[in-house]
Amino acid sequence: RVLNWYLKNPDNEFFVEIHDLIKNVCIFGTSYSTVLPKFDYSEMDAFGNPKYLGPSVECRDFFDVIPDPQCHRLNKGRWVFLREIVSYDELRRREEEENYYNIDHLSNENYIPEDFRSDILHKLGRAAQREYGVDEKNGQILLIHYFRSGHIVTIAGNWVIVRDTRLPQKIQTELGEQEVVLEPYPYDIFDDIRLWSVPKEFYGIGISEIAKKQQDDINLLRSMRFENIALSLQKPFIANPLFDVDIDNIVFAPGNIILANDIDRAVKQLDVRDVTNNSFQEEAIFKNDAQDSTSSFETMRGGPSSRREAATTILHMERGGFKRIETFLKYMSLTWFRSVAKKIM
């Protein structure tokens, strides 16, 4: 009942996040999501803690998650990085409500370029340098969350540590105020899914990667066809320099006049063979190859069959074409959905 309530509540936007998750996995082959608790910090419960509003499922951008290169699933990895871009006001809010600290150091003007950490950041690449972690014009700050062994370390602006859950926190107990180290979440917040996985490989294969070769061939064939049409309309010439031909006048244009002393020997037009018919046949072959490799046939998209088939035959073809999609949806329900549902409950 709890899960049913969560799925049907429009405020949770669960199906909106699933839509983004499926689009990501189809394009990139791999997609990520997180399950985080939501709190209302303006209200307190009976124990003096922020009011718990429920879980929040969010699809993460493919380029915002950096996994451990030694793992083949996120739950098998030693660590994971999560990239996030927030405003300075959001950081101030988190400082007041979510145990963030050192926010004032982001605007510290006593920055020393010769600091030893600058050499380390430069070795990590351009994006790791401090000037690329803060967008002063738009008021945006880059956050990098480092998850390992149940704890989180957050770096703001490629420079300042603003959260470290490994540090002890002061809490009120029956015995008075005590310092304890608490894990921020009682479960692993990350889940990942792949469209077509490779055994013991982390990244899956998406539709764009499978159809890339055929699409490149189709694009090349179309560009060559356009060039052939252009050459057919603007044919090349052979001009004899001994007959004093004005090169600037040798163009195809309505009403154009080319002056020549000898029409037969001064200028000669080269014939360009029309190959557009053959190119259309080749393009149809490449399209069929792309449909075979991705299992996305015309009949599945509501298009007509290329052959005259009976209605029952087309129906069987559609069902056969949907087998790969049905396999992925079943795999998704048995892995990703069950994991997310367990965390929600």
Side-chain angles (χ1 to χ4, degrees), residues 64 83-87 90 94 135 140-143 145:
D64 285 345
R83 192 176 71 104
E84 186 182 14
I85 297 177
V86 299
S87 64
E90 173 64 17
R94 295 185 184 186
D135 184 359
Q140 301 293 316
I141 298 174
L142 173 65
L143 297 183
H145 307 283

Side-chain angles (χ1 to χ4, degrees), residues 165-181:
T165 60
R166 300 171 301 175
L167 300 178
Q169 301 178 23
K170 295 181 179 180
I171 61 173
Q172 292 291 337
T173 64
E174 296 179 354
L175 301 177
E177 186 177 79
Q178 293 185 352
E179 289 189 352
V180 296
V181 177

Side-chain angles (χ1 to χ4, degrees), residues 69-254:
Q70 302 298 325
C71 71
H72 59 277
R73 287 194 301 273
L74 284 181
N75 60 354
K76 302 294 183 181
R78 299 165 296 174
W79 47 262
V80 60
F81 284 96
L82 176 63
R83 192 176 71 104
E84 186 182 14
I85 297 177
V86 299
S87 64
Y88 188 77
D89 294 336
E90 173 64 17
L91 270 183
R92 282 297 184 187
R93 184 195 67 80
R94 295 185 184 186
E95 183 182 29
E96 297 177 358
E97 301 174 352
E98 300 182 21
N99 296 324
Y100 277 55
Y101 57 91
N102 285 341
I103 307 301
D104 292 332
H105 288 70
L106 290 172
S107 58
N108 185 9
E109 297 180 355
N110 298 324
Y111 165 59
I112 303 175
E114 291 78 15
D115 193 286
F116 72 96
R117 286 170 289 189
S118 298
D119 295 335
I120 299 176
L121 294 176
H122 278 77
K123 290 179 181 179
L124 293 176
R126 181 178 179 183
Q129 300 173 26
R130 186 187 185 192
E131 55 265 31
Y132 295 98
V134 179
D135 184 359
E136 297 181 356
K137 180 180 179 181
N138 299 314
Q140 301 293 316
I141 298 174
L142 173 65
L143 297 183
I144 299 178
H145 307 283
Y146 174 59
F147 295 81
R148 181 165 185 168
S149 301
H151 288 281
I152 309 172
V153 177
T154 301
I155 301 174
N158 286 336
W159 192 251
V160 180
I161 294 178
V162 296
R163 178 174 60 165
D164 189 350
T165 60
R166 300 171 301 175
L167 300 178
Q169 301 178 23
K170 295 181 179 180
I171 61 173
Q172 292 291 337
T173 64
E174 296 179 354
L175 301 177
E177 186 177 79
Q178 293 185 352
E179 289 189 352
V180 296
V181 177
L182 300 175
E183 293 186 3
Y185 308 111
Y187 53 83
D188 182 8
I189 67 170
F190 286 96
D191 289 286
D192 53 350
I193 189 171
R194 291 149 193 85
L195 184 62
W196 294 305
S197 59
V198 180
K200 299 303 178 181
E201 292 288 339
F202 183 84
Y203 291 107
I205 302 175
I207 294 177
S208 56
E209 183 178 353
I210 292 178
K212 182 179 184 300
K213 179 62 172 60
Q214 289 81 8
Q215 188 62 53
D216 290 342
D217 293 337
I218 291 174
N219 294 340
L220 177 61
L221 202 60
R222 287 179 177 176
S223 64
M224 294 172 64
R225 184 166 65 240
F226 294 150
E227 291 177 358
N228 180 254
I229 295 174
L231 286 174
S232 300
L233 297 176
Q234 304 285 341
K235 291 183 172 62
F237 288 89
I238 295 178
N240 192 335
L242 299 178
F243 290 92
D244 192 22
V245 179
D246 187 0
I247 303 299
D248 294 334
N249 288 331
I250 305 179
V251 293
F252 267 109

